[in-house]
């Protein structure tokens, strides 16, 4: 288990021994451990911290310093990544995943032993909340106190125990859908492979939003992220802060884990692209609630994963008036939501059955609290009626054929018979399904 994060941080540079020794409170020294400072121990001016990285030590009485030259940190970080490469489940991660997860709980729990501090009594961790101040901005005691109070409030996240007898079930490990890796519960990402590979139609490339872009370019997401850091860090945003996870108690016990419920960000700085896209889209429409497109029940949207008690998805078709129109890589999409009750089909009237083959639609395998970058109802066609052209009603695929990717069913394609271009596989829900009543 990783050591707890140091919650007591004084003035910038106040605990630095070199500054005290040199009687110069305006500079500090690079605290890189285990390797030589690449700048020959050049002092770091506290009035200009643009080219440094801040770290924290979990030893409350650490006096080794708080800053590293950026190139020193990069060199040291590589040694930690090398160690992480040999640790447990991180062995199966890609280089990108290891780099993304290193300073989050998911990776740091495995790598903290390689992060020993110079003080010899603690472990270092990159301060993901720290933003370099502009040059000449001197630290003030009241500013530091306010920052400390705000940070402590952010770290006061709700307990992951959903109830007294479920303490060990819901772990704080990332779920199945992320911006960097695939899913363990199909379908879970835009590039998830369809169950049957025989035959191919249309593009086999993945849709953009479930991958690294998650619905928009990285630069656009960065602009939105500046806005949302202000909203979330202030605690005064339009989105709710989840106090507990009791709403998931109705799930079967074997689903109370992070494989079925999205729990953590995947971004380097705790700013996941998918979450950023969803919250920025909703904020632009001044809404903090969404409605299930099946039962129309309202759902609160939370500022951290799991974002809702259900799941979001993108569709080229507006299934309900509650679906929010947005642009994804230049294409018009509709941000839609389905509640947990309809996904699990608990109550009478919640289960949907195909009007043609009577097959029930099952959304219980979908990860809760996140977003799919394709239409989840079109992704798994159950009969040939779902494969027909919207214009000439002739089948676009043979009954035994399936597209390579779940996202392919949400793409615009041309009918091989009448050449009409449309989202042929994304049918209106009333056309495909009827509610099952007792």
């Amino acid at each position: 288990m990783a050591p707890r994060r140091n919650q007591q941080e004084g003035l910038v540079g106040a605990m630095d021994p070199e500054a005290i020794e040199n009687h110069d409170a305006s500079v500090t020294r690079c605290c890189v451990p285990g390797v030589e400072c690449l700048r020959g121990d050049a002092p770091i001016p506290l009035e200009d911290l643009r080219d440094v990285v801040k770290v924290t030590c979990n030893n409350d009485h650490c006096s080794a310093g708080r800053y590293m030259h950026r190139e020193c940190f990069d060199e040291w970080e590589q040694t930690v990544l090398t160690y992480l490469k040999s640790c447990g489940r991180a062995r199966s991660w890609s280089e990108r995943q290891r780099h993304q997860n290193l300073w989050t709980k998911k990776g740091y729990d495995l790598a903290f032993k390689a992060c020993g501090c110079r003080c010899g009594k603690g472990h270092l961790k990159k301060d993901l909340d720290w933003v370099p101040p502009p040059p000449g901005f001197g630290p003030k005691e009241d500013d530091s106190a306010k920052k400390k109070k705000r940070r402590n409030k952010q770290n006061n996240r709700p307990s992951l125990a959903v109830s007294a007898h479920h303490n060990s079930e819901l772990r704080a490990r990332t779920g199945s859908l992320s911006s960097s890796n695939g899913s363990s519960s199909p379908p879970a990402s835009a590039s998830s492979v369809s169950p049957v590979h025989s035959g191919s139609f249309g593009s086999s490339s993945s849709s953009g939003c479930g991958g690294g872009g998650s619905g928009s370019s990285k630069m656009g997401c960065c602009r939105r992220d500046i806005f949302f850091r202000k909203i979330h860090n202030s605690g005064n945003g339009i989105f709710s802060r989840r106090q507990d996870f009791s709403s998931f108690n109705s799930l079967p016990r074997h689903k109370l884990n992070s494989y079925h419920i999205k729990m953590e960000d995947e971004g380097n700085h705790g700013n996941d692209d998918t979450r950023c896209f969803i919250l920025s889209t909703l904020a632009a429409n001044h809404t903090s609630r969404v409605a299930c497109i099946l039962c129309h029940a309202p759902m609160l949207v939370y500022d951290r994963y799991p974002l809702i008690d259900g799941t979001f998805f993108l569709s080229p078709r507006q299934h309900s008036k509650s679906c929010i129109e947005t642009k994804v890589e230049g294409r018009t999409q509709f941000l839609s939501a389905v509640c947990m009750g309809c996904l699990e089909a608990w109550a009478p009237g919640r289960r949907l059955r195909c009007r043609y083959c009577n097959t029930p639609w099952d959304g219980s395998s979908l990860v809760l609290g996140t977003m799919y970058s394709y239409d989840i109802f079109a992704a798994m066609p159950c009969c040939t009626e779902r494969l027909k052209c919207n214009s000439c009603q002739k089948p676009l695929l043979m009954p035994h054929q399936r597209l390579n990717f779940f996202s392919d069913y949400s793409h615009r394609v041309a009918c091989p018979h009448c050449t009409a271009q449309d989202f042929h596989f994304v049918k209106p829900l009333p056309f495909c399904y009827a509610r099952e009543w007792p």
Side-chain angles (χ1 to χ4, degrees):
M1 190 68 180
R4 67 180 179 86
R5 181 177 176 179
N6 180 18
Q7 299 294 329
Q8 298 180 356
E9 180 181 334
L11 297 178
V12 178
M15 296 296 294
D16 186 66
E18 291 84 355
I20 297 175
E21 179 182 351
N22 297 331
H23 305 287
D24 188 353
S26 65
V27 298
T28 185
R29 298 288 182 182
C30 180
C31 67
V32 60
V35 295
E36 294 293 331
C37 175
L38 298 180
R39 293 193 185 181
D41 289 326
I44 298 174
L46 296 176
E47 292 185 352
D48 188 358
L49 300 174
R50 290 175 297 175
D51 199 30
V52 301
V53 176
K54 187 178 181 183
V55 294
T56 59
C57 178
N58 65 308
N59 174 20
D60 291 346
H61 304 290
C62 175
S63 58
R66 292 290 179 269
Y67 299 99
M68 298 184 198
H69 298 111
R70 185 168 299 278
E71 58 266 38
C72 296
F73 174 83
D74 291 342
E75 182 77 13
W76 174 67
E77 185 181 49
Q78 284 303 315
T79 66
V80 182
L81 286 169
T82 301
Y83 176 83
L84 180 62
K85 191 174 183 179
S86 64
C87 295
R89 61 180 180 272
R91 295 190 186 100
S92 63
W93 294 349
S94 65
E95 290 296 329
R96 179 183 178 186
Q97 289 172 323
R98 278 191 284 269
H99 194 274
Q100 287 183 331
N101 295 334
L102 177 58
W103 301 117
T104 66
K105 177 178 174 60
K106 185 176 181 180
Y108 189 69
D109 279 355
L110 301 173
F112 76 93
K113 291 183 179 179
C115 302
C117 180
R118 276 186 174 184
C119 70
K121 298 181 180 180
H123 295 84
L124 295 178
K125 184 178 181 181
K126 183 179 181 181
D127 189 344
L128 300 179
D129 298 326
W130 181 70
V131 178
F137 181 80
K140 297 180 181 180
E141 184 173 0
D142 56 343
D143 291 339
S144 180
K146 290 179 181 178
K147 179 180 177 182
K148 173 184 172 183
K149 182 178 180 180
R150 183 166 61 248
R151 183 172 57 252
N152 288 343
K153 183 176 181 180
Q154 290 174 349
N155 290 335
N156 187 23
R157 298 180 66 182
S159 171
L160 290 177
V162 294
S163 66
H165 58 281
H166 289 325
N167 283 342
S168 62
E169 291 295 326
L170 199 56
R171 301 188 299 275
R173 193 154 50 85
T174 186
S176 299
L177 180 67
S178 71
S179 59
S180 60
N181 61 322
S183 168
S184 61
S185 300
S189 71
S191 59
S192 297
V193 180
S194 181
V196 181
H197 299 281
S198 57
S200 175
F201 184 81
S203 171
S204 62
S205 62
S206 63
S207 178
C209 201
S214 221
S216 66
S217 67
K218 290 189 175 182
M219 182 170 293
C221 189
C222 289
R223 294 194 190 101
R224 291 194 302 270
D225 192 50
I226 294 173
F227 169 66
F228 274 100
R229 272 209 299 266
K230 293 178 181 177
I231 288 182
H232 298 145
N233 291 347
S234 67
N236 296 321
I238 65 174
F239 302 106
S240 302
R241 176 60 55 91
R242 192 183 288 272
Q243 299 301 317
D244 57 55
F245 296 88
S246 59
S247 60
F248 297 104
N249 281 346
S250 52
L251 285 172
R253 187 171 181 177
H254 70 276
K255 289 189 176 182
L256 297 178
N257 55 58
S258 55
Y259 292 105
H260 291 89
I261 306 171
K262 176 71 171 178
M263 299 300 301
E264 291 185 352
D265 282 339
E266 292 294 332
N268 278 338
H269 303 285
N271 292 303
D272 184 278
D273 287 342
T274 301
R275 180 172 63 85
C276 174
F277 168 73
I278 294 171
L279 298 186
S280 60
T281 300
L282 295 175
N285 286 271
H286 307 289
T287 180
S288 60
R289 292 173 180 263
V290 292
C292 174
I293 64 171
L294 298 180
C295 68
H296 309 295
M299 291 180 284
L300 277 175
V301 179
Y302 297 94
D303 61 352
R304 291 292 186 268
Y305 287 120
L307 297 177
I308 56 170
D309 296 340
T311 195
F312 286 103
F313 69 94
L314 290 173
S315 174
R317 180 181 293 275
Q318 189 175 18
H319 290 297
S320 168
K321 291 181 179 179
S322 62
C323 302
I324 297 175
E325 183 176 347
T326 183
K327 288 288 186 180
V328 180
E329 296 181 343
R331 296 179 299 166
T332 298
Q333 297 280 298
F334 293 91
L335 182 62
S336 312
V338 181
C339 72
M340 184 166 52
C342 289
L343 292 172
E344 298 286 333
W346 289 327
R350 293 293 185 97
R351 182 177 293 278
L352 301 179
R353 285 190 178 273
C354 177
R355 292 183 180 274
Y356 304 98
C357 67
N358 206 36
T359 301
W361 181 80
D362 185 9
S364 61
S365 64
L366 301 178
V367 183
L368 299 174
T370 183
M371 184 191 76
Y372 289 83
S373 59
Y374 50 83
D375 192 301
I376 58 178
F377 294 94
M380 293 175 284
C382 54
C383 60
T384 54
E385 291 294 328
R386 304 288 300 277
L387 303 175
K388 289 184 177 180
C389 170
N390 289 337
S391 297
C392 67
Q393 298 302 310
K394 293 182 179 179
L396 280 72
L397 297 174
M398 299 300 292
H400 65 277
Q401 291 181 314
R402 288 293 183 268
L403 302 184
N404 290 331
F405 299 95
F406 289 112
S407 60
D408 288 343
Y409 292 96
S410 296
H411 291 169
R412 184 190 295 273
V413 294
C415 174
H417 306 287
C418 66
T419 69
Q421 289 198 357
D422 197 0
F423 300 101
H424 294 291
F425 303 111
V426 185
K427 310 290 187 183
L429 296 183
F431 173 82
C432 300
Y433 298 107
R435 290 187 181 274
E436 179 186 81
W437 298 99

